[in-house]
Each structure stands twice: as C-alpha cells, then as structure tokens.
Amino acid sequence: MAALQGSTLDAINNNQSQLLDEWIVGLEANGATRNLKEQDLRQQTSGFLQLLLASLQDADATGAGSEELRRFLEKLSSSRAQLGHDSHQTAYFIFALKGPLFRLLQQQYKDQPGALAEQLLIISELLDSLGMHTVRTYQVTREAVIRRQQDELLELSTPVVKLWDGVLALPLIGTLDSQRSQTVMESLLQRIVDTGSEIAIIDITGVPTVDTLVAQHLLKTVTAIRLMGADCIISGVRPQIAQTIVHLGLDLSTITTKANLADALKLAIKRLDLGVDARG
C-alpha cells in the first residue's frame, strides 16, 4: 500500500478540532451515541483520532501504533455491546469519520485529483479494516453476553424450593433438553448437599410433553439423587403424560410418581415421619 503524504498527515493534525466536531455530529445524527455521556464520547473520539494519526505513520498499518489502535477498538466495541448497541451503531463509530476526513482531503488536494484519489483510497482501506475489526470484536463480546444471559435464565428457570424440613421441590416449566437437564441436576444435587434433605420432589406439571428424551433426563436425575443418599418423587403426572409414557413403552416403574405436588408432599412427610423408604 502506498504511504500517506506528509501534507495529508499535516492536514489531519492541524484540523483535529474540526474533524472531531463533524464526526460527533454524524454519530449523533445516526443514533450511534445512545447511552453515552457527552464527555465519554468526546474522550473516545479524541483518543481514537490521536491513535489513528500514529497508525497512519505506518505505510502498511501494522506497526505498534496500529496495534494500540486495534486494542482501543476492541475495548470500545466490548463496551458498546454491553451498553446494548447493535453492530451497525458500533461500526459506525469508525465509518462516521470517513465523511469529515474525505471533505478535508478534498479541500487539501482540490487541484491534485490523482493525489486525492490515492490518499482517499489509503485512508478508506484502513478505516474499512478497522471497522470490520470492530464488528468482529463486537460479535465475540455480544455472543459472550448472550451466553451469560442464557445461563442466568437457566438458573432462574430451575429454582429449588425447600417445602419442609428434609424436603426439596424443583418445579419444571417448559422443555427439558440436555443442557437444562444438566443444570437441573447440578442445582438440585447441590441443594441436597447444602440442606441435608432426604427427599426431592421434581414437579413436571409445567412440562408440556414427556418423550423418550425427557424421560431419560428424569431417570438420570433420579439416579443421581439416589446416589447422593436421598429419595426422589416425581409429581405432576397428568393423564395425557401417563398415556404418552405407556404408548412409548417407557419404564418408570422404579420411580415414585404422583398426580400433583400436594400428594407428593404428603407422601414425603409420611416417609420422613415413618423413617422408612416406603413407596406409595
């Protein structure tokens, strides 16, 4: 790539205030300043412009100045993702600078069309590269935010409730897939250890259907609970679910089931009072 001419760097350096003002106006006009304080925005744009000038000293844009510039953009795009900006708003932080820069260079090289085209191409390619780098970093951060939110939702959707001394209940709502099953098992087993409970009730009233996969998840959870020295009761077995289990040929004979949570709690209290592992 050809190098920028000294007059280009001088023009940018001598007109920083004008560039910043026009750049910020463009950002505000396109909604790219949402949730940002004016002071923070001014610091970010000013800091970027200083790093850009340092980077433009390198003809191939791979020097130390460029590396520092990319790290700056990685931090900025991560913060934008956490503020709820979309990828367009984040990338526009870079692309909004093109207009002010191009207008400045048009004035600088108004009598040199060949030099103008060359200088515009260099800057355009660099800003495009930085814009794509910003988007890639944004996507990585946004995906991490989404994964964290999904994990938090999974935890919230699997609350373990203490119903009685020695009795825990886990009401399930929605589909029980492999990931959620693992979360359910870990959460319930940990609560059994923390509380020293002897009986765990898994209520599937809110589970729309029970197929072979769901039944396997339940069986694994029950087995894990028993290995911890506790017993398990499954409640919320509706007529439709019972028929489905029969039609699928699923063997749940080793698991105590009840039609509703109230009946399961009564049985759990009875077992605790009797101090035996009765099934009924």
Side-chain angles (χ1 to χ4, degrees):
M1 182 186 295
L4 285 175
Q5 295 185 14
S7 55
T8 297
L9 296 174
D10 289 341
I12 296 175
N13 188 55
N14 295 332
N15 293 275
Q16 290 188 52
S17 179
Q18 175 187 337
L19 286 172
L20 288 173
D21 290 341
E22 294 182 13
W23 184 12
I24 290 174
V25 169
L27 289 171
E28 292 174 342
N30 285 272
T33 61
R34 182 167 59 89
N35 298 330
L36 288 173
K37 296 180 180 178
E38 182 178 352
Q39 181 180 359
D40 293 339
L41 179 62
R42 177 68 63 170
Q43 289 177 346
Q44 290 170 355
T45 51
S46 178
F48 177 85
L49 191 56
Q50 290 297 321
L51 291 172
L52 180 63
L53 278 168
S55 178
L56 290 175
Q57 303 293 333
D58 302 310
D60 58 359
T62 59
S66 179
E67 287 302 313
E68 188 175 356
L69 179 59
R70 291 176 184 273
R71 287 194 295 270
F72 174 91
L73 289 175
E74 289 167 5
K75 182 179 179 180
L76 180 134
S77 58
S78 295
S79 67
R80 291 291 196 274
Q82 294 170 0
L83 285 172
H85 287 213
D86 59 28
S87 57
H88 170 79
Q89 292 170 322
T90 303
Y92 199 73
F93 177 83
I94 304 297
F95 298 137
L97 181 57
K98 275 190 173 185
L101 271 176
F102 287 5
R103 287 191 292 272
L104 177 63
L105 294 184
Q106 285 173 340
Q107 181 65 30
Q108 181 71 24
Y109 294 99
K110 59 184 178 180
D111 298 324
Q112 305 175 59
L116 173 62
E118 180 187 66
Q119 299 300 288
L120 288 179
L121 179 61
I122 295 172
I123 291 181
S124 182
E125 288 181 346
L126 176 57
L127 291 179
D128 288 346
S129 174
L130 294 174
M132 292 304 297
H133 181 71
T134 302
V135 171
R136 285 193 295 269
T137 304
Y138 169 88
Q139 289 173 336
V140 170
T141 304
R142 189 59 185 161
E143 288 170 2
V145 170
I146 292 173
R147 285 195 298 271
R148 186 180 70 249
Q149 291 173 340
Q150 288 175 334
D151 291 341
E152 291 172 351
L153 286 174
L154 274 176
E155 293 178 3
L156 289 173
S157 66
T158 55
V160 180
V161 183
K162 184 175 181 180
L163 295 182
W164 202 268
D165 287 340
V167 181
L168 296 177
L170 175 64
L172 294 177
I173 299 175
T175 304
L176 188 65
D177 55 20
S178 297
Q179 181 181 6
R180 191 178 181 204
S181 175
Q182 184 65 29
T183 303
V184 165
M185 188 184 302
E186 292 175 357
S187 178
L188 187 51
L189 293 181
Q190 187 59 51
R191 284 285 284 162
I192 289 174
V193 172
D194 294 341
T195 62
S197 296
E198 301 175 41
I199 298 177
I201 301 172
I202 300 178
D203 184 70
I204 62 172
T205 303
V207 177
T209 59
V210 174
D211 54 16
T212 304
L213 185 60
V214 171
Q216 290 175 348
H217 291 323
L218 290 174
L219 285 170
K220 289 178 181 179
T221 303
V222 171
T223 301
I225 291 171
R226 289 175 176 170
L227 287 173
M228 296 295 296
D231 195 15
C232 183
I233 302 171
I234 294 181
S235 65
V237 181
R238 307 182 301 278
Q240 298 89 336
I241 288 181
Q243 291 176 14
T244 300
I245 292 174
V246 171
H247 289 322
L248 292 174
L250 301 175
D251 183 12
L252 300 182
S253 60
T254 60
I255 302 176
T256 303
T257 61
K258 288 295 179 181
N260 54 64
L261 183 58
D263 289 343
L265 178 58
K266 289 178 183 178
L267 176 60
I269 295 174
K270 179 180 178 182
R271 288 184 180 179
L272 291 175
D273 289 342
L274 292 177
V276 297
D277 188 21
R279 300 181 185 278

